[in-house]
Amino acid sequence: MASVSLQGLSKSYGSTAVLRDVNLDIRDGEFLTLVGPSGCGKTTLLRILAGLDHADAGTVRIGGRVVDALPPKRRDVAMVFQSYALYPYMTVRENIAMPLAMRRLDRVQRLPLLGRWLPGARAARREIDQAVQAAAEPLGLQALLERRPAQLSGGQRQRVALARAMVRQPQVFLMDEPLSNLDAKLRVATRAEIAQLHRRLGATFVYVTHDQVEAMTMSDRVAMMMDGELLQLATPQELYDDPADLRVAEFIGTPKVDTLAAVVAEGSLDVVGTSWPLDGPLPARGRLQLAVRSEWWRLQDAADPAVAPDSSEGRVRGTLAHVELLGSETLLHLGVTGIEAPVVARVAPSAARGLRIGQPLAFATRRVLVFGADGHRLRGCRWSGGRPCEAEHD
């Protein structure tokens, strides 16, 4: 297996910049996911790594070797495509064997009838068949080897595509949204299969998806991309808890993080008409963006005069606009004057019992992420009582 290093990659199509000076180091044996919205450049990056496309600037190294001038077949990588790319007229066995047949048999030896009797062909075919069996077994394909792709389900076709990549024993596996054509139930099962496959092989996996759930559940680290830039590289939990950019905070997490516009003026911080007691590296005046995850809110009764503001928390007031009952949890949507989208709090079902649509409520939080007007994170902010605002310390 091998590490991968991408240094200063840039790519443009005409006047459209697809990649902008991307630097990324992928460790030997790591499962790294490139995640981001459609058009952010993640598939282009994967194609450059595979040798199917070329960068305008920058260097690609696999196992410490510069591969920019090498064709795909000499880079020792295997790619699993979104469309599976199986040969419809071949059996599963023949599809899996194809990469080895192309590598180990010459043109004449690959002929269906005559080729089998040429010197060396029979021994090579036995070795190829053993490799096919070894690749098919961990994916549960032994009983399907004589079927054709049209006789397989979507999940079975995906496993055949994975086996075809495995049989080559490449240094790096590249996967371009391989689960996007599967239904929701099968996608969950196949996610687990791919993660288990990575643990068994210990190989380097580079996985591309726009689905944040896939990225969060399968990866050792996640590279968040947007507009051709690499915004942040971190573990899934770090990406969720400690985003470096507002775009990362908004993309990662379900439901979407609540964002609140704030104005700094004369030493106070105004958030939709309410003063939030925040101190720290804030500008003297200007606009900020505050982000709060749904589980960081605490529900309060806005009509209860006994509920007084706390010097180490922020609050928003509004009316209950919608309730989502999800079984183990409930999402409360609070309509707040001055905010277009509702503020969403995740609470226990017991806390939402008896609430009525239109009822005045307040959400309070002791945890908030602060971002500047440019979307970059402002770290080190604290509540006026000295309590850090970026993590709970109850």
Side-chain angles (χ1 to χ4, degrees):
M1 305 310 162
S3 61
V4 176
S5 178
L6 310 176
Q7 298 177 339
L9 289 190
S10 296
K11 177 69 176 179
S12 297
Y13 294 105
S15 60
T16 303
V18 180
L19 295 176
R20 307 169 188 267
D21 192 27
V22 174
N23 295 280
L24 179 61
D25 290 317
I26 304 169
R27 302 162 186 158
D28 186 3
E30 181 175 31
F31 194 126
L32 183 130
T33 297
L34 301 170
V35 68
S38 298
C40 70
K42 55 189 185 297
T43 295
T44 300
L45 190 66
L46 200 72
R47 289 178 59 85
I48 290 173
L49 178 53
L52 302 175
D53 208 342
H54 297 282
D56 298 333
T59 301
V60 177
R61 286 183 171 86
I62 300 177
R65 179 181 61 155
V66 176
V67 298
D68 296 319
L70 297 181
K73 65 180 181 180
R74 294 184 57 196
R75 296 195 179 197
D76 201 11
V77 301
M79 190 160 181
V80 179
F81 295 92
Q82 177 179 350
S83 61
Y84 316 138
L86 301 179
Y87 296 101
Y89 54 86
M90 291 185 177
T91 64
V92 168
R93 184 189 303 276
E94 291 167 338
N95 267 284
I96 297 174
M98 178 56 69
L100 296 184
M102 296 298 293
R103 179 180 293 182
R104 299 183 185 180
L105 301 175
D106 62 33
R107 187 174 182 179
V108 179
Q109 289 175 326
R110 292 197 298 270
L111 293 174
L113 298 176
L114 177 63
R116 295 178 180 275
W117 304 103
L118 294 177
R122 296 184 66 182
R125 286 181 180 275
R126 280 197 300 271
E127 293 177 357
I128 291 173
D129 192 59
Q130 291 172 357
V132 169
Q133 293 286 349
E137 182 178 359
L139 294 173
L141 296 173
Q142 303 97 313
L144 307 177
L145 290 176
E146 305 310 321
R147 296 188 187 181
R148 285 185 165 78
Q151 299 172 299
L152 304 178
S153 67
Q156 290 168 336
R157 293 179 196 177
Q158 185 59 70
R159 282 185 279 160
V160 174
L162 287 170
R164 185 177 57 187
M166 287 172 54
V167 77
R168 293 179 49 198
Q169 297 183 338
Q171 293 191 80
V172 181
F173 286 87
L174 308 177
M175 299 187 179
D176 185 13
E177 303 202 41
L179 308 185
S180 60
N181 291 331
L182 305 183
D183 60 53
K185 182 178 179 180
L186 191 55
R187 195 156 50 238
V188 172
T190 310
R191 277 204 316 257
E193 288 180 359
I194 292 176
Q196 292 166 7
L197 174 65
H198 172 256
R199 286 192 291 270
R200 283 198 301 270
L201 298 179
T204 304
F205 277 43
V206 184
Y207 189 99
V208 161
T209 183
H210 65 273
D211 187 333
Q212 57 158 310
V213 176
E214 289 180 23
M216 298 290 281
T217 56
M218 300 169 65
S219 315
D220 295 321
R221 289 191 299 166
V222 177
M224 175 72 204
M225 295 187 66
M226 197 166 291
D227 299 326
E229 299 180 23
L230 178 59
L231 297 184
Q232 189 171 357
L233 174 62
T235 66
Q237 197 62 50
E238 288 172 339
L239 215 60
Y240 183 83
D241 291 335
D242 195 25
D245 190 284
L246 181 59
R247 291 172 291 177
V248 176
E250 291 180 325
F251 190 85
I252 300 295
T254 304
K256 183 180 176 182
V257 69
D258 293 317
T259 55
L260 309 172
V263 178
V264 184
E266 299 178 358
S268 65
L269 187 67
D270 180 86
V271 182
V272 291
T274 304
S275 178
W276 283 35
L278 280 173
D279 295 326
L282 303 178
R285 58 177 56 251
R287 296 186 176 274
L288 302 175
Q289 291 285 338
L290 309 183
V292 182
R293 298 285 183 194
S294 60
E295 65 272 20
W296 298 350
W297 291 113
R298 298 192 317 281
L299 177 62
Q300 296 181 338
D301 186 349
D304 187 352
V307 179
D310 191 319
S311 63
S312 61
E313 68 179 15
R315 303 179 75 198
V316 292
R317 294 175 178 269
T319 57
L320 185 61
H322 181 57
V323 178
E324 291 186 74
L325 303 175
L326 303 178
S328 62
E329 61 188 19
T330 298
L331 300 181
L332 303 179
H333 295 241
L334 188 72
V336 180
T337 302
I339 302 179
E340 181 176 351
V343 177
V344 181
R346 190 194 309 265
V347 301
S350 58
R353 194 170 295 126
L355 295 180
R356 307 178 311 279
I357 301 299
Q359 177 178 343
L361 294 176
F363 292 167
T365 183
R366 294 179 177 176
R367 186 172 183 182
V368 61
L369 305 175
V370 183
F371 298 88
D374 58 359
H376 293 158
R377 179 81 171 278
L378 298 179
R379 301 182 185 275
C381 296
R382 307 178 73 85
W383 299 109
S384 59
R387 184 191 190 103
C389 70
E390 297 176 353
E392 282 279 19
H393 293 280
D394 289 333

